[in-house]
């Protein structure tokens, strides 16, 4: 690494006009991420035209600021109103919202922004120093390896099933059944669409997410409207306490590394990384029974993992010209507009530009920490509003968020339908996380297994004997066994 060139690029990013664009991007990203239905992808896509004509450092700094801010922003609504602003925040909700119900929203938010900073900064550092090496590893992934990764992710269902593994597995299978709706991934034949073109791509994920969590929570809140007291959260410090950091630092460190590597695999997103990080934190915890009830380690692990993904996703985009996720696909277009072609030759012909991107990512995460900490006192005001006002507001935001994805009323009805499903799952004490995991990973597992079988001439042995696939499958079995043993120990 050329440290002299890197320091020059870093100083260029610290110019006041570039810093201003980064802070504007981070602030806008946090707002976009906290609103249900407005994803990081949408935020970056909407603001790309505003960067035309700006110098490279300013335009890319602003876009990376939006990227970093929106991933963190999703946790705000997840923690405060049980509504993940982005899919990446679904795992944060599992312990973040229970903390809010205990009157500890400030504690959850401060840990969320701190863990987001640790994850994002770690991912950016790994991207800075190891991107060529990691991109070579990412190239090893074919259909068989993606299938192994999906199976490993699905094994986490047992970890997030709560008290009843049977109920968790049942809900997981329901999610897998729902994930088969849409076009067959190999033949292109429509399945279970009932003739509706709106279902050709399967149930839209964001409206489904909004329905299962936000609208279901509104229905649940209406049922107990008169008996529900106003939640009050006391904020003694904007930063997490030393005790909380001491309790969660190992989980943050591990999840940050895991999230970066998962993000570097094209197609594996921050939502997968968040659940993997959360499950690993629960697996190694001395008190796994506290997870799902307000464990601060759960918030820390999920947020550090999903934010580390942003740095990881940049690795294949810069090194290979292959986007790691939907956001980096848009960023790839922004680079090309600026006259820069990401790929292996970028590291040879224009190393200064690469270092400018690295520097912008590092500074964007520092800006996210600053803006996030300043905003905590304002964010917590949301839960002091009376339920009779808050619940209709959440409902309206949910409907607008569901509609805004495709400007389609069908998605509104879809969100309402999943709201009813989520309400009854709540009522009869079925966990909701397994259905979400199945909806994320089911299509990935099916499509890649079938492609791998075609490539391997229908030989399953050839697929599972591939080294990386075998490692993921072994990890999946280990995850299942340890989760079952832990559940048995808790019951005893």
């Amino acid at each position: 690494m050329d440290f002299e060139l890197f320091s020059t690029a870093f100083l260029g990013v610290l110019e006041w006009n570039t810093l201003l664009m980064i802070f504007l991007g981070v602030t806008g990203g946090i707002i976009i991420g906290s609103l249900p239905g407005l994803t990081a992808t949408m935020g970056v896509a909407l603001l790309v035209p505003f960067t035309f004509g700006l110098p490279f450092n300013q335009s890319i700094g602003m876009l990376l600021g939006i990227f970093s801010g929106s991933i963190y922003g999703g946790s705000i609504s997840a923690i405060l109103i049980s509504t993940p602003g982005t899919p990446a925040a679904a795992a944060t909700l599992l312990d973040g919202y229970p903390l809010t119900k205990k009157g500890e929203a400030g504690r959850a938010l401060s840990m969320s922004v701190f863990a987001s900073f640790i994850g994002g900064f770690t991912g950016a550092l790994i991207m800075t120093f190891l991107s060529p090496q990691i991109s070579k590893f990412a190239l090893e992934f074919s259909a068989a390896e993606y299938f192994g990764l999906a199976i490993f992710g699905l094994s986490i269902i047992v970890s997030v099933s709560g008290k009843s593994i049977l109920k968790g597995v049942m809900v997981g299978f329901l999610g897998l059944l729902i994930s088969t709706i849409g076009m067959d991934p190999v033949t292109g034949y429509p399945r279970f669409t009932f003739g509706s073109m709106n279902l050709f791509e399967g149930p839209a994920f964001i409206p489904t997410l909004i329905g299962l969590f936000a609208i279901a929570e509104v229905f649940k809140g209406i049922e107990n409207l008169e008996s529900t007291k106003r939640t009050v959260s006391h904020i003694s410090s904007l930063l997490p306490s030393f005790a909380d950091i001491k309790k969660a630092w190992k989980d943050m460190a591990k999840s940050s590394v895991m999230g970066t590597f998962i993000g570097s695999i094209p197609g594996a997103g921050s939502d997968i990384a968040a659940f993997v990080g959360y499950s690993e934190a629960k697996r190694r915890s001395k008190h796994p029974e506290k997870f799902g009830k307000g464990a601060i380690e759960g918030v820390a692990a999920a947020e550090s993992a999903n934010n580390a993904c942003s740095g990881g996703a940049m690795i294949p985009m810069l090194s290979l010209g292959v986007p790691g996720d939907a956001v980096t696909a848009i960023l790839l277009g922004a680079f090309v507009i600026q006259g820069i072609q990401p790929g292996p030759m970028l590291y040879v012909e224009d190393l200064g530009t690469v270092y400018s991107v690295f520097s912008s990512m590092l500074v964007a995460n520092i800006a996210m920490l600053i803006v996030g900490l300043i905003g905590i006192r304002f964010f917590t005001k949301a839960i002091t509003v009376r339920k009779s006002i808050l619940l209709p507001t959440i409902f309206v935001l949910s409907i607008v968020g569901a509609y805004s994805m495709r400007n389609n009323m069908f998605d509104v009805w879809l969100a309402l339908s999943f709201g009813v499903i989520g309400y009854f799952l709540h009522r009869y004490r079925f966990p909701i996380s397994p259905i979400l995991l199945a909806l994320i990973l089911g299509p990935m597992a099916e499509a890649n297994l079938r492609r791998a079988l075609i490539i391997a001439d229908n030989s399953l042995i050839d697929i599972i004997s591939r080294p990386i696939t075998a490692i993921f499958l072994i990890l999946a079995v280990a995850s299942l066994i340890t989760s079952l043993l832990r559940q048995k120990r808790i019951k005893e």
Side-chain angles (χ1 to χ4, degrees), residues 266-282:
S270 52
D271 42 6
I272 298 173
F275 275 104
V276 170
Y278 180 87
S279 177
E280 177 60 20
K282 185 177 180 180

Side-chain angles (χ1 to χ4, degrees), residues 141-151 153-154 176 179 185 262 265-269 271-272 437-451 472:
F141 273 69
S142 64
E145 284 73 24
Y146 281 110
F147 167 69
L149 175 63
I151 294 299
L154 287 169
L176 289 174
S179 72
I262 291 172
I265 302 167
D271 42 6
I272 298 173
L437 264 174
L439 288 171
I440 294 169
L441 294 167
M444 180 179 175
E446 182 199 3
N448 286 291
L449 174 61
R450 293 178 64 183
R451 290 183 191 124
F472 277 128

